[in-house]
mmCIF file of all heavy atoms in Angstrom:
data_model
loop_
_atom_site.group_PDB
_atom_site.id
_atom_site.type_symbol
_atom_site.label_atom_id
_atom_site.label_comp_id
_atom_site.label_asym_id
_atom_site.label_seq_id
_atom_site.Cartn_x
_atom_site.Cartn_y
_atom_site.Cartn_z
ATOM 1 N N ALA Z 56 5.470 -30.486 -59.363
ATOM 2 C CA ALA Z 56 4.112 -31.057 -59.046
ATOM 3 C C ALA Z 56 4.224 -32.217 -58.080
ATOM 4 O O ALA Z 56 3.485 -32.371 -57.144
ATOM 5 C CB ALA Z 56 3.338 -31.373 -60.263
ATOM 6 N N ASP Z 57 5.297 -33.074 -58.346
ATOM 7 C CA ASP Z 57 5.378 -34.250 -57.564
ATOM 8 C C ASP Z 57 6.617 -34.574 -56.835
ATOM 9 O O ASP Z 57 7.644 -33.896 -57.233
ATOM 10 C CB ASP Z 57 5.028 -35.465 -58.479
ATOM 11 C CG ASP Z 57 3.653 -35.382 -59.117
ATOM 12 O OD1 ASP Z 57 2.701 -35.279 -58.383
ATOM 13 O OD2 ASP Z 57 3.634 -35.489 -60.397
ATOM 14 N N SER Z 58 6.718 -35.441 -56.089
ATOM 15 C CA SER Z 58 8.032 -35.792 -55.247
ATOM 16 C C SER Z 58 8.087 -37.433 -55.480
ATOM 17 O O SER Z 58 7.255 -38.189 -55.898
ATOM 18 C CB SER Z 58 7.962 -35.404 -53.827
ATOM 19 O OG SER Z 58 6.811 -36.052 -53.156
ATOM 20 N N GLY Z 59 9.341 -37.908 -55.073
ATOM 21 C CA GLY Z 59 9.540 -39.304 -55.097
ATOM 22 C C GLY Z 59 10.943 -39.496 -55.742
ATOM 23 O O GLY Z 59 11.559 -38.640 -56.462
ATOM 24 N N LYS Z 60 11.436 -40.782 -55.616
ATOM 25 C CA LYS Z 60 12.816 -41.064 -55.965
ATOM 26 C C LYS Z 60 12.878 -40.950 -57.625
ATOM 27 O O LYS Z 60 13.896 -40.387 -58.077
ATOM 28 C CB LYS Z 60 12.987 -42.578 -55.677
ATOM 29 C CG LYS Z 60 14.510 -43.058 -55.876
ATOM 30 C CD LYS Z 60 14.630 -44.471 -55.389
ATOM 31 C CE LYS Z 60 16.067 -44.959 -55.780
ATOM 32 N NZ LYS Z 60 16.345 -46.249 -55.194
ATOM 33 N N ASN Z 61 11.894 -41.457 -58.258
ATOM 34 C CA ASN Z 61 11.906 -41.419 -59.722
ATOM 35 C C ASN Z 61 11.817 -39.936 -60.226
ATOM 36 O O ASN Z 61 12.524 -39.630 -61.177
ATOM 37 C CB ASN Z 61 10.807 -42.311 -60.436
ATOM 38 C CG ASN Z 61 11.016 -43.771 -60.196
ATOM 39 O OD1 ASN Z 61 12.121 -44.218 -59.939
ATOM 40 N ND2 ASN Z 61 9.946 -44.487 -60.152
ATOM 41 N N ILE Z 62 10.996 -39.182 -59.636
ATOM 42 C CA ILE Z 62 10.924 -37.828 -60.017
ATOM 43 C C ILE Z 62 12.208 -37.029 -59.823
ATOM 44 O O ILE Z 62 12.607 -36.287 -60.642
ATOM 45 C CB ILE Z 62 9.652 -37.115 -59.298
ATOM 46 C CG1 ILE Z 62 8.265 -37.749 -59.683
ATOM 47 C CG2 ILE Z 62 9.622 -35.625 -59.564
ATOM 48 C CD1 ILE Z 62 7.972 -37.568 -61.144
ATOM 49 N N SER Z 63 12.706 -37.221 -58.665
ATOM 50 C CA SER Z 63 14.042 -36.538 -58.279
ATOM 51 C C SER Z 63 15.043 -36.969 -59.221
ATOM 52 O O SER Z 63 15.841 -36.032 -59.647
ATOM 53 C CB SER Z 63 14.409 -36.959 -56.843
ATOM 54 O OG SER Z 63 13.418 -36.395 -55.901
ATOM 55 N N ALA Z 64 15.197 -38.187 -59.702
ATOM 56 C CA ALA Z 64 16.205 -38.627 -60.593
ATOM 57 C C ALA Z 64 15.982 -38.000 -61.894
ATOM 58 O O ALA Z 64 17.145 -37.609 -62.573
ATOM 59 C CB ALA Z 64 16.229 -40.185 -60.719
ATOM 60 N N LYS Z 65 14.790 -37.819 -62.356
ATOM 61 C CA LYS Z 65 14.422 -37.120 -63.639
ATOM 62 C C LYS Z 65 14.787 -35.736 -63.520
ATOM 63 O O LYS Z 65 15.393 -35.256 -64.487
ATOM 64 C CB LYS Z 65 12.921 -37.397 -63.962
ATOM 65 C CG LYS Z 65 12.532 -36.689 -65.224
ATOM 66 C CD LYS Z 65 11.116 -36.928 -65.546
ATOM 67 C CE LYS Z 65 10.594 -36.314 -66.912
ATOM 68 N NZ LYS Z 65 9.168 -36.542 -67.032
ATOM 69 N N GLU Z 66 14.616 -35.010 -62.469
ATOM 70 C CA GLU Z 66 14.965 -33.641 -62.292
ATOM 71 C C GLU Z 66 16.535 -33.585 -62.417
ATOM 72 O O GLU Z 66 17.019 -32.660 -63.032
ATOM 73 C CB GLU Z 66 14.516 -33.047 -61.029
ATOM 74 C CG GLU Z 66 12.988 -33.027 -60.795
ATOM 75 C CD GLU Z 66 12.345 -31.821 -61.847
ATOM 76 O OE1 GLU Z 66 12.819 -30.687 -61.573
ATOM 77 O OE2 GLU Z 66 11.790 -32.203 -62.812
ATOM 78 N N ARG Z 67 17.230 -34.391 -61.722
ATOM 79 C CA ARG Z 67 18.730 -34.302 -61.678
ATOM 80 C C ARG Z 67 19.279 -34.474 -63.194
ATOM 81 O O ARG Z 67 20.260 -33.802 -63.557
ATOM 82 C CB ARG Z 67 19.431 -35.300 -60.709
ATOM 83 C CG ARG Z 67 18.888 -34.950 -59.360
ATOM 84 C CD ARG Z 67 19.609 -35.894 -58.326
ATOM 85 N NE ARG Z 67 19.044 -35.679 -57.032
ATOM 86 C CZ ARG Z 67 18.314 -36.627 -56.385
ATOM 87 N NH1 ARG Z 67 18.056 -37.671 -56.971
ATOM 88 N NH2 ARG Z 67 17.845 -36.302 -55.135
ATOM 89 N N ARG Z 68 18.648 -35.350 -63.935
ATOM 90 C CA ARG Z 68 19.074 -35.590 -65.430
ATOM 91 C C ARG Z 68 18.874 -34.415 -66.158
ATOM 92 O O ARG Z 68 19.580 -34.219 -67.160
ATOM 93 C CB ARG Z 68 18.432 -36.904 -65.897
ATOM 94 C CG ARG Z 68 19.047 -38.197 -65.284
ATOM 95 C CD ARG Z 68 18.447 -39.445 -66.097
ATOM 96 N NE ARG Z 68 16.964 -39.530 -66.248
ATOM 97 C CZ ARG Z 68 16.318 -40.145 -65.364
ATOM 98 N NH1 ARG Z 68 16.877 -40.966 -64.404
ATOM 99 N NH2 ARG Z 68 14.945 -40.266 -65.548
ATOM 100 N N ALA Z 69 17.805 -33.626 -65.815
ATOM 101 C CA ALA Z 69 17.543 -32.442 -66.587
ATOM 102 C C ALA Z 69 18.363 -31.175 -66.099
ATOM 103 O O ALA Z 69 18.071 -30.053 -66.514
ATOM 104 C CB ALA Z 69 16.067 -32.124 -66.481
ATOM 105 N N GLY Z 70 19.265 -31.410 -65.204
ATOM 106 C CA GLY Z 70 20.147 -30.330 -64.600
ATOM 107 C C GLY Z 70 19.428 -29.487 -63.588
ATOM 108 O O GLY Z 70 19.763 -28.290 -63.354
ATOM 109 N N ARG Z 71 18.402 -30.030 -62.899
ATOM 110 C CA ARG Z 71 17.702 -29.374 -61.871
ATOM 111 C C ARG Z 71 17.831 -30.099 -60.516
ATOM 112 O O ARG Z 71 18.130 -31.424 -60.502
ATOM 113 C CB ARG Z 71 16.277 -29.243 -62.146
ATOM 114 C CG ARG Z 71 16.016 -28.464 -63.415
ATOM 115 C CD ARG Z 71 14.449 -28.211 -63.673
ATOM 116 N NE ARG Z 71 13.754 -29.410 -63.909
ATOM 117 C CZ ARG Z 71 13.590 -29.816 -65.293
ATOM 118 N NH1 ARG Z 71 13.903 -29.128 -66.205
ATOM 119 N NH2 ARG Z 71 12.896 -30.886 -65.438
ATOM 120 N N VAL Z 72 17.880 -29.395 -59.334
ATOM 121 C CA VAL Z 72 17.945 -29.963 -58.000
ATOM 122 C C VAL Z 72 16.560 -29.989 -57.423
ATOM 123 O O VAL Z 72 15.902 -28.919 -57.281
ATOM 124 C CB VAL Z 72 18.957 -29.215 -57.225
ATOM 125 C CG1 VAL Z 72 19.128 -29.899 -55.881
ATOM 126 C CG2 VAL Z 72 20.294 -29.160 -57.824
#
Side-chain angles (χ1 to χ4, degrees):
D57 299 308
S58 61
K60 185 176 180 179
N61 292 335
I62 296 295
S63 295
K65 183 179 179 181
E66 290 294 290
R67 295 183 188 110
R68 286 195 298 269
R71 299 186 291 265
V72 182

